[in-house]
Structures are given as structure tokens and as C-alpha cells.
Amino acid sequence: MSMRTRLAPALADTHLDGETKVTDRSAAPEGTGSIKVSGVGYGYPGVRTGQRVIDDLEFSVRPGEFVCIVGPSGCGKTTLLKLLSGLIAPEAGSILVNDEAVSGPPENLGFVFQDHGRALLPWRNAVRNVEFSLEAARVPRRRRKDMARDALRRVHLPDVENLYPAQMSGGMQQRLQIARALAATPSVLLMDEPFAALDALTRFALEDALLEVWQELGLTVVFVTHDLDEAIYLADRVIVLRRGPAHVVREVRVDLERPRDQGRTRAEKDFVALRYELFETIRTL
Ligand SMILES: Nc1ncnc2c1ncn2[C@@H]1O[C@H](COP(=O)(O)OP(=O)(O)OP(=O)(O)O)[C@@H](O)[C@H]1O
Ligand SMILES: [Mg+2]
């Protein structure tokens, strides 16, 4: 059974009555939502040969895992997400998503960009923006509106479906972008600093909305951020990249109890110790 068929019913009967339905990830088919990056190298065309942005990059993500990627500006994080999403192809090595080699945008993959202003279609209202990704996924017209509304409810945007992006706050626009990425029931969600431009309270609310959706749907998430606290709060594992060319220098497992809580979790001694460890790693890069 494909992830698409597995998740579609979950989206169809959304429950937002305060009860969190936790998907049994062990029930996921083998390989669903898995990522395997082996010996990947990439250099942008026109840049001197031998000057790869990424070289010999290795890491794997388990189905249903939440992985955050941190690293200095310009080290190749966005480039890595572009490779995972098939927007660009590696020069060396291989990338498997759901055990299949990536050779173009995989159909069961969602992407959330940092710049919601540019990612959304200003001439379409909220529900039509979400429907856009369903059109791309060739979901039949008669099912699109219901699926789009379910995705909007899932990110706690139930009453805005007729608003246009320009009529929404930054936080609402970013929720809309997440709804759009989720609507087509992906098994893998790639997020590139999606909350960086938001104020702290809006960011906290969106982090929690994302964790809720991740747990309910059993998604695999790869989340790029500059914010070490955000990385630790969200992740099962934090991968640290260094530049010149990009490669993994450190992986830190985050075993903090879930569900996490913005106040309590961030005050835990293990959280503070992890932040110190990551900070010390990053500042020597
Ligand atoms: N289209 C492009 N053409 C040529 N070089 C590029 C292109 N896009 C990015 N680069 C270069 O590749 C390197 C990695 O860029 P990338 O955007 O992946 O970094 P990043 O880690 O996402 O940085 P940031 O944290 O600032 O977003 C940088 O040196 C950048 O200048
Ligand atoms: Mg970037």
C-alpha cells in the first residue's frame, strides 16, 4: 500500500477535538518515508570544477523521524534540500527517498520554503492555494476542496479559506504553506527555515502545530534551521553540517520526552546540556 493511500483516510477524518491521534509508525510499509544519502557530491554549474558545495555527504533518515539540520550560513543546507526534492541532481553518489532513486520531484514529498510571500500564489485565496498542490498531484477535482479544507483545519486555519495571502499575517501565511505541503499527503516533508522570519510566540505556536501534524500523520521531516533551540525542541536527531564542502560533522540524538512543551522542555537540564554541546560544536566550525 502506498503512503498516499495510507494517509488519505487520515486526512479525510481529521479530529481537532483536542484529542491527538498518534499514528502507529511501526505499521508503515518498509521504506516509506525513508531517506538515504550516500556519497553525494554537488557543485553549481559555472562554479569552478572541483569546487563542490557538497561532497561525500552521508546520512540516513528513518521513516517517521524528525531530523533537524543546522550549520553555518552558506554551507549548503538549502542545496541539500533541493537535492532531496529532486530540483537538482547530484554529480556523485545517490539519494533514495522511499527506497527509490530521486530523479525529479518525488510525488510523495512536500516542501515548505522560508519565504512564504514568494511561495504562495497571491491571486488565489487560501483554499485555492492549497488546491494548487492537489492539482499538481492530479487529485480529482471533486475531492480537492474537501482535502484542502482538511489540511487547513489541520494547521488550525479553519476560517480563512476565502482570504487571499495578502490579507493574512506572516504566521497565517506560513500555516497556509504548510497546509499546502500536507494536502497531497506526503510521506516526507522538507522545510527550509520555515519559521525564521516570524516573531517568537508565533514561531512557538507553529512549532507545536507542526509537531502535532507530524505525530498524527507519521511523516518524516527534514527541517533546516539556524536556531539551535528550535532544532533541539523539534528533533529526534540534529545533524550538524560544516562547509567547504558540506559534510556531516556531528549527529546528536535528542531523547527529550514527547509531547514536548515550550516552557517545560526548554527548561529541562538535558535540553540546556544539548544546546551547550551543539553551540560548542558550531562555534568551532
Ligand atoms: N544558484 C546558485 N549558483 C551558484 N552558487 C550557488 C547557488 N545557490 C547557492 N550557491 C552557493 O552554494 C553555497 C551553499 O548555498 P546554500 O544556499 O545551499 O547555503 P545555506 O547553507 O542554505 O545558507 P543559508 O544558511 O544562508 O541559507 C553558497 O556558497 C552559495 O553561494
Ligand atoms: Mg539556505
Side-chain angles (χ1 to χ4, degrees), residues 45-91:
V47 178
R48 220 161 12 108
T49 325
Q51 291 278 324
R52 284 186 172 164
V53 172
I54 290 177
D55 205 17
D56 213 14
L57 186 66
E58 296 270 342
F59 68 90
S60 299
V61 185
R62 290 193 320 276
E65 194 178 16
F66 200 126
V67 166
C68 285
I69 309 239
V70 298
S73 184
C75 77
K77 303 179 296 294
T78 297
T79 306
L80 169 61
L81 291 192
K82 287 199 256 176
L83 286 162
L84 294 177
S85 64
L87 290 173
I88 54 177
E91 284 173 7

Side-chain angles (χ1 to χ4, degrees), residues 95-108:
I95 299 177
L96 304 183
V97 172
N98 297 332
D99 286 339
E100 280 179 29
V102 172
S103 61
E107 66 162 25
N108 43 12

